[in-house]
Amino acid sequence: MLTLHDYLPSQNGWKARVLFGLLNIPYRSRLVSIFEGESRTDAFLDLNPAGSIPVLELEDGRTIAESNAILTYLAEGTPFLPTDRYQRAKVMQWLFFEQYHVEPVIGTLRFWTLTGRLEINQAMVAAKRAAAARTLAALERSLTDTLFLAGKEFSIADIAVYAYGHRAEDCGFVLADYPALLSWFDRVRDAIGSGYPIYPYSDDPHSAA
């Protein structure tokens, strides 16, 4: 059976949980105590030298790190990853966009906000907020005339960008300013369905350490 090395409050881990559920693939979940340093142990670094979660461990012991790489692996041969060359490239475009423009800015601001770290990172907050505003504006422009990011069909690109994107209000952004984005959030939420909770950092007793 596949094993997902995970940390529940992470939206990167959430992406994989969602796709596992949508594809009805059974897997084991092994929770990693991030704030206790477990992701920096030799055992975990053997799984992922970068020391981050999630990590997908295959049945034969091989591993795949980086959430969007995991999505791509799981989605191969399914409707969530197109076979058409252009459509597949568009999905990859948005996966790369998410890791450059969404997770490092919205994800980071959200983490700082929810764990009381804004003050100690104050020197970087303004630049992060400006970058996040540009990201939301880019998504608004892109979603004005399309149902989903890569076209008419829901894909792993939507799961990836939605994960942290729809939590932008957690770090102070007014999403009512982005009507096309809000409509897309509704479509993605409907496509995903229920059963995939967002875990607050307060669920981890070490999150304020």
Side-chain angles (χ1 to χ4, degrees):
M1 184 178 289
L2 298 170
T3 300
L4 183 67
H5 297 262
D6 198 1
Y7 172 64
L8 291 180
S10 168
Q11 290 301 101
N12 282 323
W14 181 88
K15 300 174 193 174
R17 282 172 245 143
V18 166
L19 190 56
F20 268 119
L22 293 178
L23 293 174
N24 198 28
I25 298 175
Y27 70 99
R28 289 181 299 215
S29 180
R30 185 186 179 283
L31 300 183
V32 180
S33 299
I34 299 295
F35 288 95
E36 290 183 307
E38 188 179 355
S39 63
R40 296 298 174 183
T41 63
D42 290 342
F44 190 84
L45 292 173
D46 283 342
L47 301 174
N48 177 15
S52 60
I53 61 91
V55 176
L56 180 64
E57 185 175 354
L58 308 185
E59 295 92 334
D60 60 7
R62 291 179 297 166
T63 59
I64 302 169
E66 300 299 329
S67 58
N68 291 348
I70 293 170
L71 293 184
T72 302
Y73 177 84
L74 293 175
E76 187 67 46
T78 78
F80 300 111
L81 183 61
T83 56
D84 175 81
R85 185 178 184 181
Y86 175 78
Q87 291 299 322
R88 191 180 185 96
K90 292 299 288 185
V91 168
M92 300 308 294
Q93 169 192 317
W94 287 107
L95 294 180
F96 298 148
F97 175 92
E98 190 271 340
Q99 283 293 283
Y100 191 82
H101 295 286
V102 180
E103 193 272 346
V105 287
I106 295 173
T108 298
L109 283 171
R110 177 176 181 264
F111 175 73
W112 290 347
T113 301
L114 297 182
T115 61
R117 288 169 164 81
L118 275 178
E119 187 61 35
I120 63 174
N121 292 289
Q122 195 59 47
M124 295 180 282
V125 169
K128 289 283 188 184
R129 289 193 63 81
R134 291 193 297 271
T135 293
L136 294 172
L139 287 168
E140 177 71 12
R141 289 192 296 271
S142 299
L143 289 161
T144 299
D145 297 313
T146 185
L147 289 175
F148 296 104
L149 286 171
K152 296 180 180 179
E153 303 299 328
F154 175 72
S155 73
I156 56 173
D158 300 288
I159 296 173
V161 175
Y162 178 86
Y164 280 108
H166 87 290
R167 307 308 300 179
E169 285 184 331
D170 290 343
C171 44
F173 288 94
V174 180
L175 293 180
D177 295 339
Y178 306 95
L181 184 58
L182 279 179
S183 295
W184 174 74
F185 285 160
D186 289 341
R187 291 191 292 274
V188 175
R189 189 179 299 112
D190 289 344
I192 290 174
S194 60
Y196 307 101
I198 306 297
Y199 291 91
Y201 287 105
S202 59
D203 280 2
D204 186 332
H206 305 283
S207 62

